Amino acid sequence: MPQTSEEESLGALVAQASNHISTLVRSEIELAKAELRFDAKRVGTAAGLFAAAAFMAHLCLILASFAIAYVLVEVGLPQWLAFTIVTVFYLLVAALLVFLGTRRLKGLAAMKRTTRSLKGLKEIATPEGELVKPDA
C-alpha cells in the first residue's frame, strides 16, 4: 500500500523532531560538563588555599615562632608570654586563609543554567493538563 504525501510529511516531521531532541540532549550534556569543569576548577583553587593555610601554619609554628618568640624574650617579655603571642598570631593568619578558601567555595555556580534549562525542557515536554509525578 503506497503512502500518501501527508503520511510522508508526518514521518519527516517525526524524524526531524527526533533529531532535534537528540541534538538538544547532547547540548544539555555538554553544558553540564562545562559547568562541572568550571566548578571543579573553583573547588581545586579553594583546596589549594586550604592546603597553603595548613602548610604555612605548620612551617610558621615550627620555625618562625621560635625565632620571633626569642626576640620577644630578649625585649623583656617572660618566655611563656612571648611564645603565646607568637602562637596566637599564626593562628590568626591560618584562620584568615581558611576564611578566604570558604568564600571561594560559596561562589560555586552549582549548575544553575543546566537546572534551569532542564526545567524548561520538562515544561515543554509535558502536555497541558497532564500531571507529572514529582521525583522521589
Side-chain angles (χ1 to χ4, degrees), residues 125-136:
T126 306
E128 289 183 32
E130 186 176 312
L131 293 176
V132 177
K133 294 180 182 178
D135 295 333

Side-chain angles (χ1 to χ4, degrees), residues 45-64:
T45 301
L49 288 170
F50 288 130
F55 182 71
M56 284 186 60
H58 176 72
L59 288 181
C60 290
L61 288 173
I62 292 173
L63 302 172

Side-chain angles (χ1 to χ4, degrees), residues 11-12 23 26 50 65 67 82 84 87 99 101-103 106 108 122 125:
T23 303
R26 275 189 243 118
F50 288 130
S65 62
T84 302
T87 301
F99 172 73
T102 304
R103 283 189 56 202
K106 285 184 180 178
L108 293 177
K122 187 176 181 181

Side-chain angles (χ1 to χ4, degrees), residues 86-97:
V86 171
T87 301
V88 169
F89 172 75
Y90 286 118
L91 286 175
L92 290 174
V93 170
L96 175 66
L97 291 171

Side-chain angles (χ1 to χ4, degrees), residues 69 72-73 76-88:
L72 292 174
V73 168
L77 291 175
Q79 192 172 12
W80 67 269
L81 183 58
F83 277 88
T84 302
I85 290 170
V86 171
T87 301
V88 169

Side-chain angles (χ1 to χ4, degrees), residues 11-32:
L13 286 175
V14 169
Q16 282 182 336
S18 175
N19 185 28
H20 290 309
I21 289 173
S22 175
T23 303
L24 185 59
V25 168
R26 275 189 243 118
S27 298
E28 290 298 325
I29 290 171
E30 288 302 315
L31 176 61

Side-chain angles (χ1 to χ4, degrees), residues 111-123:
M111 296 177 40
K112 292 177 185 173
R113 291 180 298 213
T114 302
T115 304
R116 206 174 25 234
S117 178
L118 289 175
K119 283 182 183 177
L121 284 175
K122 187 176 181 181
E123 290 173 8

